[in-house]
Amino acid sequence: MEIKVTKTANPKPIPQDESTLGFGLKFTDHMFLMDWYDDKGWTDARIVPYGPIEIDPASTVLHYALEIFEGLKAYRTAEGKIQLFRPYENAKRFNRSAARFSMPEIPEEDFVQAVKALVDVDSEWVPKGFGTSLYIRPFMFADMIDLALHYVKHYRFIIIVSPSGSYYSEGLNPVKIMIEDEDVRAVRGGTGFTKCGGNYAASQRAGDRAMAKGYSQVLWLDGVERKYIEEVGAMNIMFKIDGVVVTPSTAEGSILQGITRKSILELLRHKGIPCEERKVSVDELMDAARTGRLEEAFGCGTAAVISPVGVLAYKDEVYDINGGKIGETSQMLYDTLTGIQWGKLEDEMGWVVPVK
Ligand code: PLP
Ligand code: COI
């Protein structure tokens, strides 16, 4: 794919104090764009100065929410190299999301090439501190000027990048999570397995209610019986119960197939640590918490990395997990995963892809 690059004439100052980056708040000097037309396919791949985009008020996405996205990161190693973590997994998942919405797919090589090209142009923006990274947000939306529900003839694909620190202000300190028993996020046959904006829109109300009660996010239950654990608002969930790491199976299609989740399962199997992907009922979880067998709980995701859960609430029961401290398996997984991502540990699994 040929990418036309137009550099900005007015570069912004690069944030020097990395401790105040937060997550997804600041954006670099450039962005990647390309367009899809039903008669031409993908066209006009370009990197241009970052800035507002024009959108018609009748555009499909503003009314019918036809939008999908991805999330990955570029990491700077101590030697100053810049690397990505499993970007082809993001490209594949993007296309699984696209297929669910009848959106055009992007060849995996083009997706990764676009990510690499943008990160390379803005490489000075990749922060230096351990734990900081350049968060990469590719997204695609339908852009027809037509309020009828028609076949969509124009899509736009954009990538923006943001120098970021921790997703949660708690960092690696445990977060408080509340099990949601009223709203549901996804149903079988729906869009739960995709990264579409609509999933997050449907989650907003429960998230806001949880925050008002002092919790960081909600843990979703299945949409049919409200009996089985699914995932958290922005991460997959894992539990260590009786020495075994257990995570909900994604087979029903209502849970996002997280790349961090997949990597953790591969690491655990590689290290010979017992782990299971299966249905986990809220009753089993609460019983384990009540009887002291719930040794650890943690969320995992690109933005969240490994996020220990220190408090779990369901209806009127509230439990502290591992005395509100990070558990040894969570810490080991955090150290291994971040060690590979920031190039401190050897990449035995072959997950890292250099930008150049
Ligand atoms: N589940 C949800 C709902 C998410 O938004 C994310 C974040 O992307 C994840 C899980 C974790 O996925 P990944 O590890 O691929 O970032
Ligand atoms: C990510 O971890 O990349 C995500 O997309 C989570 C997002 C909701 C902040």
Side-chain angles (χ1 to χ4, degrees):
M1 178 173 66
E2 201 181 312
I3 303 175
K4 186 171 173 234
V5 179
T6 309
K7 294 235 181 122
T8 179
N10 300 304
K12 295 178 278 197
I14 296 173
Q16 293 304 311
D17 181 1
E18 295 183 352
S19 67
T20 58
L21 286 174
F23 175 83
L25 297 170
K26 299 190 169 79
F27 295 89
T28 62
D29 280 330
H30 299 91
M31 58 186 182
F32 174 94
L33 291 95
M34 68 179 175
D35 292 280
W36 182 91
Y37 297 96
D38 69 332
D39 54 349
K40 287 196 250 181
W42 287 110
T43 177
D44 201 12
R46 60 207 186 272
I47 289 175
V48 297
Y50 182 93
I53 53 167
E54 218 167 72
I55 191 156
D56 194 284
S59 175
T60 324
V61 66
L62 299 179
H63 302 270
Y64 307 126
L66 262 180
E67 188 267 356
I68 59 170
F69 67 96
E70 268 304 322
L72 66 161
K73 286 174 171 175
Y75 308 83
R76 188 187 292 279
T77 69
E79 297 78 42
K81 277 190 286 184
I82 297 172
Q83 55 193 32
L84 305 169
F85 185 72
R86 312 190 82 176
Y88 288 92
E89 293 293 328
N90 294 91
K92 287 193 185 99
R93 187 172 62 191
F94 190 75
N95 285 338
R96 291 199 295 274
S97 298
R100 173 62 182 81
F101 291 97
S102 200
M103 286 174 152
E105 297 185 13
I106 296 179
E108 287 167 30
E109 279 305 334
D110 292 352
F111 180 100
V112 175
Q113 184 195 348
V115 166
K116 284 184 179 175
L118 181 61
V119 173
D120 189 35
V121 166
D122 279 336
S123 60
E124 288 187 19
W125 286 80
V126 182
K128 298 181 178 60
F130 183 69
T132 64
S133 57
L134 189 70
Y135 183 73
I136 304 165
R137 172 53 64 85
F139 61 106
M140 168 169 35
F141 59 90
D143 188 31
M144 288 268 283
I145 301 172
D146 182 348
L147 292 183
L149 292 167
H150 283 149
Y151 169 74
V152 178
K153 293 182 182 165
H154 178 216
Y155 286 93
R156 292 202 235 174
F157 175 71
I158 304 181
I159 310 176
I160 53 175
V161 288
S162 166
S164 293
S166 297
Y167 182 70
Y168 295 109
S169 54
E170 289 90 339
L172 197 53
N173 293 321
V175 293
K176 293 170 72 178
I177 298 286
M178 197 185 103
I179 299 176
E180 170 66 29
D181 58 354
E182 196 182 325
D183 289 358
V184 296
R185 173 187 174 275
V187 291
R188 274 171 235 164
T191 61
F193 70 95
T194 72
K195 260 180 107 66
C196 70
N199 286 344
Y200 299 80
S203 308
Q204 189 70 24
R205 179 171 75 170
D208 286 351
R209 282 195 301 229
M211 277 208 183
K213 290 185 185 159
Y215 292 87
S216 295
Q217 276 187 16
V218 303
L219 177 55
W220 295 103
L221 296 178
D222 75 276
V224 179
E225 296 174 80
R226 294 197 176 100
K227 184 172 165 194
Y228 296 101
I229 303 288
E230 299 227 303
E231 62 181 317
V232 184
M235 50 190 191
N236 292 112
I237 189 83
M238 299 206 173
F239 307 104
K240 190 172 164 195
I241 302 175
D242 288 330
V244 181
V245 178
V246 183
T247 192
S249 152
T250 58
E252 303 276 4
S254 51
I255 299 178
L256 190 77
Q257 292 176 322
I259 296 159
T260 319
R261 172 189 180 279
K262 175 176 175 166
S263 306
I264 289 172
L265 290 169
E266 288 173 21
L267 273 177
L268 291 170
R269 286 177 189 134
H270 182 70
K271 288 177 183 288
I273 298 173
C275 58
E276 292 171 1
E277 286 178 86
R278 60 169 172 81
K279 284 190 159 198
V280 184
S281 72
V282 65
D283 293 342
E284 174 191 351
L285 182 67
M286 286 299 113
D287 186 55
R290 226 173 273 131
T291 53
R293 292 176 300 111
L294 177 59
E295 295 158 21
E296 297 182 37
F298 57 95
C300 56
T302 299
V305 195
I306 299 276
S307 186
V309 178
V311 175
L312 190 62
Y314 179 53
K315 298 191 192 283
D316 45 21
E317 289 182 78
V318 182
Y319 294 103
D320 276 351
I321 304 169
N322 196 39
K325 296 191 304 289
I326 181 165
E328 63 174 332
T329 304
S330 316
Q331 183 74 56
M332 179 280 289
L333 288 168
Y334 177 84
D335 293 343
T336 312
L337 211 54
T338 57
I340 296 171
Q341 290 166 336
W342 274 274
K344 288 181 167 187
L345 293 180
E346 198 194 326
D347 176 26
E348 281 184 357
M349 313 294 277
W351 286 339
V352 156
V353 174
V355 163
K356 277 221 253 215

